[in-house]
Amino acid sequence: MHELGVTFHIMDQLEKVAQENDVERVRKVVLELGEVSTVIESYLQNCWTWAAKKRPLFEKAELIVETLPAVTYCEDCGKTYPTVEHGKTCPFCGSGQTYLLHGNEFNIKEIEVQ
């Protein structure tokens, strides 16, 4: 389960920012999670809940996850389509000459502090 490592990485980064800005408590963290990022939101939420109890800065911090849709671009016909629904094969022309435009992101979007 790499979600625990991801959780620790997020918290480590936020602890640095909090220290630089004299923040004593984080109330909420908003993450953008791409639909095909390989991070499972429910596992991430469970890891966050467990880890937040162990770090005073995040003791009561809420984790909000916003899912970003995965979109693929077809080089042959120039159209975009939903990746999860159609995979690598373009539903418009049947081409496999496609690439992911977005949907694998993992970003800290917003932090609310006390």
Side-chain angles (χ1 to χ4, degrees):
M1 176 189 319
H2 73 287
E3 285 78 5
L4 186 57
V6 169
T7 300
F8 288 152
H9 178 72
I10 294 165
M11 287 182 168
D12 290 345
Q13 297 301 311
L14 293 177
E15 282 176 343
K16 289 177 188 173
V17 171
Q19 187 176 21
E20 292 169 1
N21 294 280
D22 297 320
V23 171
E24 294 180 15
R25 292 254 186 238
V26 173
R27 295 177 67 189
K28 179 170 64 171
V29 176
V30 179
L31 298 178
E32 293 177 321
L33 181 63
E35 198 173 25
V36 294
S37 69
T38 74
V39 175
I40 299 170
E41 182 183 349
S42 62
Y43 292 175
L44 183 66
Q45 289 283 1
N46 288 338
C47 290
W48 179 270
T49 301
W50 177 82
K53 292 175 186 174
K54 308 215 177 305
R55 297 189 185 197
L57 182 66
F58 304 101
E59 203 167 10
K60 296 184 186 209
E62 178 184 13
L63 178 65
I64 305 293
V65 177
E66 296 178 354
T67 303
L68 301 176
V71 176
T72 296
Y73 175 78
C74 177
E75 293 179 318
D76 286 346
C77 72
K79 294 183 180 179
T80 60
Y81 62 89
T83 306
V84 172
E85 187 178 341
H86 299 286
K88 280 196 55 77
T89 304
C90 177
F92 300 105
C93 70
S95 172
Q97 298 299 315
T98 61
Y99 61 87
L100 187 66
L101 283 176
H102 48 85
N104 63 348
E105 300 89 350
F106 188 89
N107 305 313
I108 299 171
K109 178 182 177 183
E110 183 179 316
I111 305 162
E112 184 179 306
V113 300
Q114 191 168 357

